């Protein structure tokens, strides 16, 4: 297979209840992340073979998720409320592949930037800082 069409991907928001229900965030136009990264630990010593530096894997950073939306205040007000909350909320990305692959993660909204140009649609850019290990299923 040469690739997958990204059309139909969803970013879903959990309701925080004991039996959590996820609802798609409306009108997403672009989605990226989480941008996983890992620190490295330099374990080079005077005895490192042939003078090459040596490394071990260190702590992992789950990164961020970015989303652009067609902004509608009445529809997206819950996201502004999430921005005010200091506790992570559960989100998931559902891919439009045959098996409906999901990435589930708790995150904090760290950026909410609406724009309303006079000659284009109202839009907003959202940034989510993922907290902990994303679960891929």
């Amino acid at each position: 297979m040469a690739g997958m069409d990204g059309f139909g991907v969803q970013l879903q928001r959990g309701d925080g209840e004991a039996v959590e229900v996820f609802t798609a965030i409306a009108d997403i136009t672009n989605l990226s992340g989480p941008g996983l990264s890992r620190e490295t630990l330099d374990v080079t010593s005077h005895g490192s073979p042939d003078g090459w530096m040596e490394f071990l894997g260190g702590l992992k950073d789950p990164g961020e998720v970015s989303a652009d939306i067609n902004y509608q205040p009445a529809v997206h007000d819950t996201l502004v409320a999430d921005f005010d909350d200091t506790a992570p909320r559960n989100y998931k990305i559902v891919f439009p592949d045959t098996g409906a692959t999901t990435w589930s993660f708790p995150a904090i909204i760290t950026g909410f930037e609406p724009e309303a140009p006079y000659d284009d649609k109202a839009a907003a850019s959202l940034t989510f800082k993922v907290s902990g290990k994303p679960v891929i299923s």
Side-chain angles (χ1 to χ4, degrees):
M1 178 190 239
M4 179 186 80
D5 185 354
F7 181 78
V9 70
Q10 291 184 353
L11 176 60
Q12 298 181 350
R13 176 185 179 274
D15 64 6
E17 297 297 323
V19 177
E20 199 153 30
V21 175
F22 286 83
T23 305
I25 296 172
D27 294 323
I28 289 186
T29 59
N30 190 39
L31 184 65
S32 64
L36 309 176
S37 65
R38 169 179 247 167
E39 293 182 4
T40 56
L41 306 174
D42 185 346
V43 295
T44 308
S45 71
H46 289 286
S48 292
D50 299 321
W52 286 94
M53 294 180 75
E54 298 178 281
F55 298 90
L56 293 175
L59 291 173
K60 295 172 263 187
D61 183 341
E64 295 180 334
V65 170
S66 298
D68 296 325
I69 59 174
N70 291 327
Y71 182 50
Q72 300 175 59
V75 172
H76 296 109
D77 280 349
T78 56
L79 297 172
V80 177
D82 288 355
F83 179 80
D84 284 337
D85 199 353
T86 58
R89 174 175 293 279
N90 291 324
Y91 295 91
K92 69 168 86 167
I93 297 171
V94 180
F95 291 92
D97 59 343
T98 306
T101 301
T102 63
W103 285 53
S104 302
F105 51 89
I108 301 165
I109 295 182
T110 58
F112 188 99
E113 186 175 348
E115 64 177 351
Y118 75 90
D119 61 347
D120 203 355
K121 65 183 179 185
S125 296
L126 308 169
T127 306
F128 301 81
K129 178 61 181 166
V130 179
S131 178
K133 181 181 180 179
V135 176
I136 302 170
S137 57

